Amino acid sequence: MSDERRERRFATTQVEVEGRFETRILEIPAREPDAWGADAPLFVVGQPHPRVDAVEKVMGRAKYTADIHRHGMLYAAFVRAPIAHGRVMLDVSQALAVPGVLEVLRAEDLPRPIKVGGVPLLAREVAYSGQPVAAVCAESAAAATMGVAAVRMQVEPAPHVTTFEGAVAEGAPLVRASGNVMSGQPEVMERGDVVVGFAAADVTIERAYRTGSQLHCALEPHGAVCEWEGDHLTVWESTQGIFRVRADVAKALDIPASKVRVITDHMGGGFGAKNYAGAHTYVAAVLARRHGRAVRCVLDREGEQTDTGHRPSSHVRVRLGARHDGTLTAIEAVSEIPLGVSGWEASAAASFHEVYSCANVRTTETFAFVHQQPMAAFRAPGHVEGTFALERAMDVLASALGMDPLALRLRNLVRRDEARDRPFSSDGLRACFDEAARRFGWEGRRESGSSGDRMVLENGGAESNMSSGGPPTFGPTRRGFGMAAQVWGAGGGPPAYATVRLNHDGSIDVLTGTQDLGTGSRTVLAQVAAEALGARFTDVRVILGDTERTPYAPNSWGSLTTASVAPAVRTAADEAQRTLRDAAAEMLECHPDDIRAHDSTLSTLDGARRLSFAEVTRKLGNVMIMGHGSRGPNPSGVGLASFGVQCAEVEVDIETRKVRVVRIVAVHDVGRVINPLLARSQMEGAILQALGFASGEERRLDPVSGRPVNTSLHDYKLPTFADVPIIDAVCLDRVDTTANHVGARGLAEPPMIPTAAAIANAVADALGLEVDELPLTPWRVARSRG
């Protein structure tokens, strides 16, 4: 390490989070290990270890927030507004008469005003249907529920708007005092000159696309258990960001963050909706203080579906221009997004700037506030919607040009980050196209397909024999084939910290303040630590999800966790191993550099003398071997992105227009794959979530009242096992040592992005018709035009 770098203790770096760039301050690590290159001899990293907590979960021993029970615990449940806009008046006298009900908490009972998603907590003024307007606190969950039912409510409805068109219409009811359009919009992003680009085009196509609103539907609902001990508050919360929740709660209650402890042991999914403290958190904390007892507030399914965020619907108008040979000369897109009563700019425009090479690109994007629950980030927010519109338009253009869709895409292959005029750290998109086309059999798809009930596919390098996917259709059918691509910023970044310590018995603890959303962070980080230490994988335990016991790590969002935290863990483990070798050198009577560590054993280079980790730590007595690590800065002037290509095969019943997705082939480049088993699991989960977005999931609102009408998992159509297609999902495992010294980028969101577009293209191919709206319900497919 150079002296110049050592002198700079702190610096700033850019981190991309879900399409937006944040400037962050970091402490430059005193030492970082050399990068694990593609030829590095790795024994634990890259192996398909099962999840370390798999047995715990399968046996029901894993504790989720809803499993937390404290002595004397009380229960809280929300009274929710039945109108989309207006005012409510509450009569709580009958609720207070319910046996076991202790209190009905209202806005005036809060110690200070608190806002959730920009909306005052428990306010009588209503901005969306399902908004909490009071909270009942009781001795039992049943009493709280009965108390909610006993609250009498008078409503004064006011005119409301739930659509983009309604929100921007002249004379529309105001959703926010500042107006219904987000400040500074429409936002125009442009490179080159689209007028010149379209003038140079031989062929121009123009289309409009719509997508529905999707709900996160995490199996574990939002919830918190809060308990005070003196002036210290402990919050058990199902969250993707324990330190973010700590900051939110401390600010809302005007107490130091050091007096708030947030714990997340296990959680059952978040998908972007659990990044902050919510109404349930604040209510549980306030009631716990008022009653001097722990309070549990866990949402029921209806509350989860109506008041925890959503992926907004979208309307995107696309115009593409190209020469006869397929070269894009201009891309133009106009997107309109009804956010909800609040939210942020999850750009549907970004894909138009990132996925294909074009000198002239202009996007115009407008976000409107409407009387719906607040928008929340949802796995690749904006990119899923935008990619659907872009990739459908690419297929329409291919048809107009008489080109194969793959040939058109390869003609316009992006090789650098054209939106920011810089190279990518690793250019893997072409390799994804080649491998996806090969595995899918794109060239011979019309002749072969997967026409039988069974077929053989390569899966992760191993042959797998799987039943063909999805429920059978009846009557005459047509087969179709489609593809789509994605680019997603997934380099992660600082700050993130980790500590590694060796215990007296030779076991190893890794402490880091990240969360395991169910994605396998414990397993992946244990593999990195074991590799860096030269330890057995089974000797490593990862302790996370506790703001009081672990050092800071960022929210688990934006496909950041592995790329942010794994380098910090590796640095900490590397430091601990160096200290361990120093300690063992005297015992083995050699220089520390002449000691190798492997399989939790230290040995001299000739192998003549050796000691296990446990033998060394026992000899050290109470001396503890520890290492500390932090995430270094991102490289400047380089785009850190993950790439992917997916191909879809579908079957469409030409009488009922019911769509059956037969198979999906997904090939992604996410840098080094630390655990191929968990990587494939991540990809399959994302693809199935996208399958729901494409085929049936849609939050529906009553057009008159603005109330959600499908608030249960019975009425909201999630894919079931019967809908699951054949999924052939692989990562290319191209090590990216420019991104960080572990060589990994993010994977969580990329496989979600191109699936729906590929399916829609396949349906259009099957029918020879235009498909311009998701989800692909039979009635929408029936409306498809030629």
Side-chain angles (χ1 to χ4, degrees):
M1 184 179 61
S2 70
D3 293 339
E4 179 183 352
R5 182 173 176 185
R6 187 184 295 279
E7 290 172 0
R8 293 184 62 214
R9 289 284 307 280
F10 296 91
T12 60
T13 192
Q14 289 280 309
V15 179
E16 185 173 3
V17 184
E18 297 180 339
R20 64 185 186 277
F21 285 84
E22 298 180 356
T23 299
R24 294 182 180 175
I25 299 173
L26 76 148
E27 181 182 0
I28 298 175
R31 177 189 292 271
E32 287 190 284
D34 295 334
W36 281 332
D39 56 352
L42 304 181
F43 303 95
V44 185
V45 164
Q47 298 303 310
H49 289 287
R51 296 170 191 269
V52 295
D53 51 6
V55 173
E56 197 178 0
K57 289 183 173 179
V58 170
M59 298 298 289
R61 295 197 298 264
K63 282 199 176 298
Y64 296 79
T65 298
D67 297 321
I68 301 297
H69 289 276
R70 306 295 295 174
H71 177 69
M73 187 171 71
L74 301 175
Y75 297 80
F78 286 113
V79 180
R80 298 188 179 278
I83 56 175
H85 188 206
R87 181 177 172 81
V88 299
M89 284 71 69
L90 305 178
D91 177 356
V92 303
S93 57
Q94 294 186 42
L96 291 172
V98 173
V101 170
L102 302 179
E103 181 182 11
V104 179
L105 188 74
R106 289 166 288 187
E108 56 267 33
D109 303 318
L110 299 174
R112 59 205 307 265
I114 298 173
K115 287 189 174 182
V116 181
V119 178
L121 180 62
L122 307 183
R124 290 187 176 80
E125 290 70 31
V126 176
Y128 62 94
S129 179
Q131 177 182 322
V133 294
V136 175
C137 182
E139 296 280 359
S140 68
T145 301
M146 292 173 63
V148 168
V151 172
R152 295 292 172 260
M153 188 183 308
Q154 287 187 306
V155 299
E156 294 178 354
H160 62 270
V161 287
T162 56
T163 64
F164 181 91
E165 293 78 6
V168 299
E170 186 175 351
L174 278 180
V175 180
R176 298 170 71 118
S178 57
N180 289 353
V181 174
M182 185 176 282
S183 176
Q185 302 216 332
E187 181 179 3
V188 178
M189 297 173 59
E190 186 168 17
R191 68 171 182 265
D193 187 330
V194 293
V195 175
V196 172
F198 282 115
D202 298 314
V203 175
T204 298
I205 64 102
E206 187 169 358
R207 295 291 188 276
Y209 300 99
R210 291 183 182 272
T211 61
S213 171
Q214 187 182 24
L215 299 174
H216 300 74
C217 300
L219 284 181
E220 182 194 21
H222 286 64
V225 175
C226 292
E227 185 176 54
W228 291 84
E229 185 173 349
D231 60 353
H232 284 68
L233 172 64
T234 299
V235 181
W236 288 267
E237 171 91 31
S238 177
T239 179
Q240 297 173 232
I242 54 174
F243 285 93
R244 177 76 63 160
V245 169
R246 185 180 74 163
D248 287 347
V249 171
K251 181 180 179 181
L253 302 183
D254 193 24
I255 58 177
S258 59
K259 294 189 176 183
V260 180
R261 178 186 181 189
V262 179
I263 301 171
T264 298
D265 192 2
H266 294 277
M267 65 177 296
F271 313 117
K274 294 180 178 176
N275 281 311
Y276 306 94
H280 58 280
T281 323
Y282 300 126
V283 162
V286 170
L287 287 170
R289 173 174 266 181
R290 287 168 72 89
H291 294 276
R293 297 162 65 177
V295 173
R296 174 186 189 269
C297 186
V298 176
L299 301 191
D300 58 16
R301 181 50 60 181
E302 183 171 350
E304 182 69 18
Q305 303 297 94
T306 58
D307 192 26
T308 61
H310 66 117
R311 183 194 300 278
S313 61
S314 71
H315 178 212
V316 184
R317 300 191 296 277
V318 186
R319 191 180 177 210
L320 302 180
R323 296 195 183 97
H324 287 306
D325 66 358
T327 303
L328 286 168
T329 60
I331 299 174
E332 186 172 24
V334 178
S335 55
E336 298 168 342
I337 314 292
L339 274 183
V341 70
S342 65
W344 53 276
E345 308 93 317
S347 177
S351 297
F352 294 90
H353 293 271
E354 296 171 344
V355 181
Y356 295 110
S357 178
C358 184
N360 308 298
V361 182
R362 180 170 65 195
T363 57
T364 304
E365 192 160 40
T366 306
F367 294 88
F369 299 113
V370 295
H371 290 112
Q372 300 181 21
Q373 61 167 313
M375 164 266 183
F378 193 152
R379 211 167 188 171
H383 278 63
V384 175
E385 304 93 297
T387 297
F388 163 66
L390 170 63
E391 291 287 37
R392 276 297 302 128
M394 286 293 284
D395 262 28
V396 172
L397 179 63
S399 177
L401 290 166
M403 292 183 69
D404 182 272
L406 173 59
L408 177 63
R409 287 167 170 82
L410 293 180
R411 168 70 66 180
N412 297 286
L413 190 73
V414 69
R415 295 188 178 277
R416 64 194 311 276
D417 183 359
E418 294 185 3
R420 299 164 193 87
D421 191 22
R422 60 185 183 178
F424 288 122
S425 63
S426 176
D427 174 16
L429 187 56
R430 174 61 195 246
C432 290
F433 269 114
D434 291 345
E435 181 63 9
R438 186 190 72 80
R439 298 178 81 92
F440 190 75
W442 182 264
E443 188 174 351
R445 63 193 183 281
R446 304 287 180 201
E447 291 74 32
S448 56
S450 57
S451 55
D453 290 333
R454 302 186 70 78
M455 65 178 299
V456 178
L457 284 175
E458 292 179 61
N459 193 347
E463 295 288 320
S464 65
N465 194 332
M466 307 170 64
S467 296
S468 60
T473 54
F474 302 94
T477 61
R478 290 181 183 166
R479 291 263 168 152
F481 309 88
M483 68 163 45
Q486 61 80 204
V487 176
W488 172 260
Y497 296 88
T499 295
V500 170
R501 66 188 183 201
L502 273 70
N503 299 309
H504 188 68
D505 61 0
S507 65
I508 299 134
D509 290 338
V510 177
L511 295 91
T512 181
T514 189
Q515 307 73 209
D516 192 336
L517 280 61
T519 53
S521 296
R522 282 183 173 88
T523 308
V524 166
L525 298 178
Q527 288 182 256
V528 171
E531 188 70 62
L533 277 162
R536 285 189 296 266
F537 172 67
T538 51
D539 288 345
V540 181
R541 177 180 66 155
V542 175
I543 300 168
L544 45 70
D546 188 336
T547 57
E548 189 174 88
R549 306 290 170 83
T550 58
Y552 177 86
N555 274 36
S556 296
W557 59 6
S559 310
L560 293 178
T561 300
T562 298
S564 299
V565 183
V569 170
R570 187 192 169 203
T571 302
D574 183 74
E575 182 178 299
Q577 198 224 46
R578 284 187 289 108
T579 305
L580 183 66
R581 283 192 285 118
D582 286 345
E586 293 190 16
M587 304 174 194
L588 294 171
E589 298 179 341
C590 65
H591 192 277
D593 291 344
D594 295 331
I595 295 176
R596 292 184 58 195
H598 180 69
D599 219 14
S600 291
T601 298
L602 298 158
S603 59
T604 55
L605 292 180
D606 59 5
R609 287 157 289 165
R610 59 181 56 204
L611 289 169
S612 69
F613 283 13
E615 289 173 312
V616 175
T617 52
R618 278 198 294 271
K619 288 177 183 290
L620 289 174
N622 291 326
V623 174
M624 178 165 269
I625 301 292
M626 300 185 71
H628 305 283
S630 61
R631 174 61 153 84
N634 282 333
S636 59
V638 176
L640 306 175
S642 290
F643 308 92
V645 172
Q646 295 187 14
C647 300
E649 179 179 353
V650 304
E651 187 178 78
V652 185
D653 188 313
I654 61 174
E655 292 180 350
T656 66
R657 300 293 174 165
K658 183 174 175 55
V659 174
R660 180 173 77 112
V661 179
V662 178
R663 64 173 173 139
I664 299 287
V665 171
V667 178
H668 289 259
D669 170 25
V670 297
R672 165 167 276 121
V673 178
I674 294 173
N675 185 317
L677 178 64
L678 297 188
R680 191 160 66 240
S681 180
Q682 273 267 32
M683 296 170 74
E684 290 173 351
I687 289 167
L688 293 179
Q689 206 159 34
L691 171 70
F693 178 69
S695 59
E697 287 189 49
E698 184 179 24
R699 182 199 55 160
R700 302 289 297 179
L701 300 178
D702 180 85
V704 176
S705 68
R707 296 180 65 176
V709 296
N710 52 346
T711 59
S712 71
L713 294 184
H714 179 270
D715 298 322
Y716 183 88
K717 178 66 174 68
L718 286 171
T720 68
F721 188 75
D723 300 306
V724 175
I726 293 170
I727 298 176
D728 178 22
V730 296
C731 289
L732 295 178
D733 202 11
R734 294 160 54 103
V735 177
D736 186 354
T737 55
T738 301
N740 55 69
H741 54 75
V742 171
R745 300 189 303 271
L747 171 63
E749 272 138 317
M752 175 87 187
I753 297 173
T755 312
I759 292 172
N761 281 339
V763 172
D765 178 63
L767 298 175
L769 299 173
E770 298 270 355
V771 173
D772 53 17
E773 190 170 357
L774 297 179
L776 295 163
T777 51
W779 50 93
R780 285 198 178 90
V781 177
R783 292 203 304 258
S784 299
R785 54 194 170 81

